[in-house]
Amino acid sequence: MINRVAPLSMQTIQPLGQKEAVNEVKANKISFGEILKQSINEVNASQAMSDKMTEALAAGKNVELHNVMITAEKASVTLTIATEVRNKAIEAYQEMMRMQV
């Protein structure tokens, strides 16, 4: 979640040469699989937290109803976003497969 946006000044933007740009990409290289795995784990964690809060409310523990609802909505939104990203990835793959070479 974005809490604030830092203003961008022209002094902080400096174009990199080709060699520096390649080194920058190699230094920050994270595989697509790792990003995907991390995202799926975050969706799973939000679903688990929602389940935990719902069970605590049903058991009569000291849990505020609005916190349970907020957690449930966050879990729902993250799952919806993950589903839409998956749909777009599949759509892009299918579009590439339809391309003629």
Side-chain angles (χ1 to χ4, degrees), residues 46-59 61-72:
S46 69
Q47 293 288 325
M49 179 60 79
S50 175
D51 290 345
K52 182 179 171 184
M53 295 277 289
T54 304
E55 287 174 6
L57 181 69
K61 295 183 181 175
N62 189 14
V63 181
E64 296 292 331
L65 178 61
H66 65 276
N67 288 336
V68 175
M69 293 305 297
I70 289 170
T71 306

Side-chain angles (χ1 to χ4, degrees), residues 8-92:
L8 213 84
S9 69
M10 291 306 287
Q11 295 171 344
T12 60
I13 301 174
Q14 297 175 357
L16 297 174
Q18 184 176 5
K19 192 173 190 178
E20 292 86 9
V22 169
N23 290 336
E24 181 77 19
V25 169
K26 285 182 181 178
N28 295 330
K29 188 174 182 182
I30 299 175
S31 71
F32 177 74
E34 288 297 318
I35 293 171
L36 187 62
K37 188 186 299 184
Q38 182 182 10
S39 298
I40 290 172
N41 287 337
E42 288 175 12
V43 170
N44 187 37
S46 69
Q47 293 288 325
M49 179 60 79
S50 175
D51 290 345
K52 182 179 171 184
M53 295 277 289
T54 304
E55 287 174 6
L57 181 69
K61 295 183 181 175
N62 189 14
V63 181
E64 296 292 331
L65 178 61
H66 65 276
N67 288 336
V68 175
M69 293 305 297
I70 289 170
T71 306
E73 277 302 309
K74 283 183 182 179
S76 174
V77 168
T78 56
L79 184 61
T80 302
I81 290 171
T83 304
E84 289 300 320
V85 168
R86 182 208 57 175
N87 291 344
K88 286 293 184 181
I90 290 172
E91 186 179 316

